[in-house]
Amino acid sequence: MPTNLFSPFKMRGLTLPNRIVVSPMGQYSGDENGKATEWHLMHLGQMSVSGAGLLITEATAVQSTGRISKHDLSLFSDAHAEALAPAVAFCRKYGGAKVGMQLYHAGRKGSVTVAWEGQKPIAIENGGWPIYNASPIAFPGRVDPLEMNEAQIDETVRAFAAAAQRADRIGVDLIEIHGAHGYLIHGFLSPLSNQRKDKYGESLENRMRFALDVFDAIRAVWPERKPLGMRLSATDWAEGGWTLDDSVELSRQLKKRGCDFITASSGGATPDQKLKVHPGYQVPFAERIRKEASIPTMAVGLITEAKQAEEILVKEQADLIALARGVMFNPRWPWHAAIELGEPVYYPPQYQRAHPSMRGGDFLKPRADT
Ligand SMILES: Cc1cc2nc3c(=O)[nH]c(=O)nc-3n(C[C@H](O)[C@H](O)[C@H](O)COP(=O)(O)O)c2cc1C
């Protein structure tokens, strides 16, 4: 019997060949200006031939002041798009995975060293840059952010749309807006980081305004046939913070505006978050959002086994399964999952003889319906 994990999934004009998604993973490997390098060709290239149905690029900055580190992959100019184009072209030419891109602004978490140098704050006089948030409340241990004024908010909304247009031009199939992990959009959503008194603060409706404006601005320029979704931190895991109920409400609002999927992540708004991590710990969030907002969801977070992934889909807790560390540890995870579940999966012709059944020297014969 065909499995759910290896069944196609259609959103608008895009059909993913299966439900396995390579989750965004920051590589901090852009050049000094955030332009893609050879690393991205290798990283995205290998994920595109992994057998996954979709890969989503790492968080890609829409403004230079919206970067975590100066080496974040960025798309705030046409030259940045040009630098990334060969990696996307490679994925489209050789890969089986559709190519998604995560767009983001780092908000109050910006201007730090790269992950493996400890994300230490960099002051402006040492080469850092001014960082922005809904309110001027620092993330503990980081640079003090400035409060965004309305003109800056509008400029940032336009920057998201401009980056989406560049992504379209280089052949990206899908966009995930990064509304999670304490970055700018989440900075507006969470009462822990948003204490504004204007139309972007206080009530839930007002705190959701920036996220919805970004969504609308991208949807207006992003081709109708291409899916657009949002990653949320479903809860802040902290008293007085953003809650799962809030996430359900935001997902309903997004659905009304044409959102195609919600990725249910969590946390990142405060170092005081109280969470217990265990296999599939965020799956219940994907399940509730899916049921109560009637929108497809992507589950992520310690999903490491093929049968675990299949069970989440069979139980209708989510529609898509994203892996980050598991697929970085083993970029052939989808191939192994396919063998375990007895399914065919994409191999580039160059690698077909790796399949255990081909050790006699044959080549894989594609299934009639693929
Ligand atoms: C190296 C690394 C980089 C990450 N970068 C991003 C990112 O750019 N955007 C994002 O939304 N999540 C990012 N994440 C979170 C993952 O996408 C994923 O949600 C998380 O690791 C849980 O999934 P996992 O248990 O399969 O690793 C990153 C995770 C890792 C390990």
Side-chain angles (χ1 to χ4, degrees), residues 23-26 58-59 102 178 181 231 300-302 323-325 328:
S23 199
M25 281 181 273
E58 67 202 87
Q102 189 184 56
H178 199 341
H181 303 168
R231 173 175 281 225
V300 68
L302 280 184
L323 284 84
R325 290 163 293 183
M328 185 160 57

Side-chain angles (χ1 to χ4, degrees), residues 3-30:
T3 60
N4 290 29
L5 191 60
F6 286 93
S7 64
F9 189 65
K10 188 169 184 323
M11 288 182 279
R12 296 181 183 258
L14 184 71
T15 302
L16 308 180
N18 61 52
R19 312 296 185 96
I20 304 168
V21 180
V22 178
S23 199
M25 281 181 273
Q27 301 295 297
Y28 304 97
S29 296

Side-chain angles (χ1 to χ4, degrees), residues 1 30 39 47 56 118 120 123 130 184 206 213-214 229 268 271 280 309 353:
M1 213 179 67
W39 182 264
M47 293 305 173
I56 306 183
K120 296 195 188 74
L184 186 65
N206 283 354
D213 285 354
V214 168
R353 289 180 63 188

